């Protein structure tokens, strides 16, 4: 987990001007980073940071006191993202949204941040949601401000459904990505035994392979 002191420094920083009224809450940041981690493509810091400081337009920029503060704040955000990624890489994968670990942090804001994170690959997310409505439903349910009260004793299962949804989308996207990767990088298998360059050409010409079909680089006929 991220140290409490680190999160408090980030919280204090994002409440400073000129970004105080536009920056994401820590719950929103956690939600956006979650979508970035499980989504269909790698989302780098240059895409993430502007939305943290301005969740509506992604145009605001923070003012750091010095380089040391910049490294500290940006390092905390990267640590938040790494925490999510490392949990999901466990066997079996884990997922703990930040609002579960800190009282008063909003699950509604977490969903708001998650939706911002989906904007990095809108079409892919739209396609995935159509295919896996069963996964998106549990995520959207957390946009209900009184969800915990409505769930009552079923709250642990509601949280478990969110965990399954996040892991499910990760697996959905990773499955597609892996299939595309294998299709692009699987070497062509020679349809027969390998022929040495000095062996007789299999075509029956009585010439050496290197002087016949092997000279063209084409498939042996």
């Amino acid at each position: 987990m991220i140290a409490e002191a680190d999160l408090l420094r980030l919280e204090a920083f994002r409440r400073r001007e000129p970004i105080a009224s536009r920056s994401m809450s820590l719950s929103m940041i956690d939600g956006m980073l979650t979508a970035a981690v499980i989504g269909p493509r790698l989302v780098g810091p240059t895409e993430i940071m502007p939305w943290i400081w301005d969740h509506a337009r992604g145009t605001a920029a923070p003012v750091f006191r010095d380089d040391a503060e910049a490294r500290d704040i940006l390092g905390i955000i990267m640590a938040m993202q790494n925490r999510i990624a490392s949990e999901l890489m466990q066997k079996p994968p884990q997922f703990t949204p930040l609002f579960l670990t800190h009282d008063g942090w909003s699950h509604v804001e977490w969903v708001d941040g998650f939706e911002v994170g989906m904007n990095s690959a809108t079409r892919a997310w739209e396609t995935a949601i159509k295919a896996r409505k069963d996964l998106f439903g549990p995520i959207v349910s957390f946009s209900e401000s009184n969800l915990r009260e409505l769930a009552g004793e079923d709250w642990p299962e509601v949280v478990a459904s969110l965990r399954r949804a996040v892991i499910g989308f990760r697996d959905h996207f990773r499955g597609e990505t892996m299939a595309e990767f294998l299709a692009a990088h699987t070497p062509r298998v020679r349809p027969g035994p390998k022929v040495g360059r000095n062996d007789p050409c299999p075509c029956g010409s009585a010439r050496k392979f290197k002087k016949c079909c092997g000279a063209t680089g084409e498939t042996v006929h």
Side-chain angles (χ1 to χ4, degrees), residues 111 114-115 118 125 128-130 132-142 162 165-166 169:
V111 176
F114 190 92
E115 291 177 344
M118 292 193 299
W125 271 104
I129 289 169
K130 288 179 182 178
R132 299 302 309 269
K133 292 180 180 179
D134 60 311
L135 296 179
F136 197 57
I139 293 175
V140 174
S141 71
F142 278 77
L162 175 64
V166 168
F169 270 124

Side-chain angles (χ1 to χ4, degrees), residues 157-174:
E157 176 54 33
V158 173
V159 171
S161 70
L162 175 64
R163 182 175 292 110
R164 289 192 294 268
V166 168
I167 295 171
F169 270 124
R170 184 208 61 166
D171 293 345
H172 175 85
F173 286 125
R174 293 302 170 269

Side-chain angles (χ1 to χ4, degrees), residues 45-55 57-61:
T46 56
E47 290 184 75
I48 292 172
M49 294 301 174
W51 295 100
I52 290 177
W53 314 131
D54 181 359
H55 63 79
R57 297 183 179 181
T59 58

